[in-house]
Amino acid sequence: MDADACRRPHRRHARPQLITDRSEPISSVLEHLRDAGAPPALINTSFNRRGEPIVDTAEQALISARTIGLDFVILDDRLIALNSERNDGTT
């Protein structure tokens, strides 16, 4: 797996967290990624652009995610597709 996208651009490093307990809820997400042929990895980071405050509401998260150019956001138990070209109706 190429981990360059996971590194902080200005420092070129990452702080990985490994999920070893298969009972963790996030473990099933990683398994679905693996089954789909994707690397079983997620990026957990501050949700904001440089110079902006960290988002505090779902509405702010969606606005920020669209501005940043993300494809998907998970809010509570919903996967929201943001990129209309990839929107397969998953919400």
Side-chain angles (χ1 to χ4, degrees):
M1 174 176 68
D2 184 0
D4 281 342
C6 300
R7 294 184 195 164
R8 296 177 180 183
H10 61 287
R11 294 191 183 143
R12 304 296 295 159
H13 74 277
R15 291 178 20 205
Q17 295 175 323
L18 303 177
I19 306 296
T20 57
D21 183 352
R22 301 242 183 217
S23 68
E24 288 286 333
I26 199 69
S27 181
S28 65
V29 173
L30 297 172
E31 288 299 322
H32 284 294
L33 288 170
R34 178 181 284 125
D35 293 345
L42 298 172
I43 298 173
N44 180 11
T45 184
S46 300
F47 206 130
N48 64 322
R49 288 176 38 164
R50 176 175 276 171
E52 294 180 353
I54 295 174
V55 300
D56 191 43
T57 67
E59 181 180 6
Q60 291 172 352
L62 292 172
I63 291 168
S64 184
R66 286 186 179 106
T67 302
I68 293 169
L70 298 181
D71 295 321
F72 300 95
V73 170
I74 297 174
L75 290 174
D76 296 321
D77 62 348
R78 296 179 303 151
L79 173 65
I80 301 171
L82 300 173
N83 184 337
S84 60
E85 293 175 10
R86 290 189 181 183
N87 191 341
D88 60 0
T90 306
T91 57

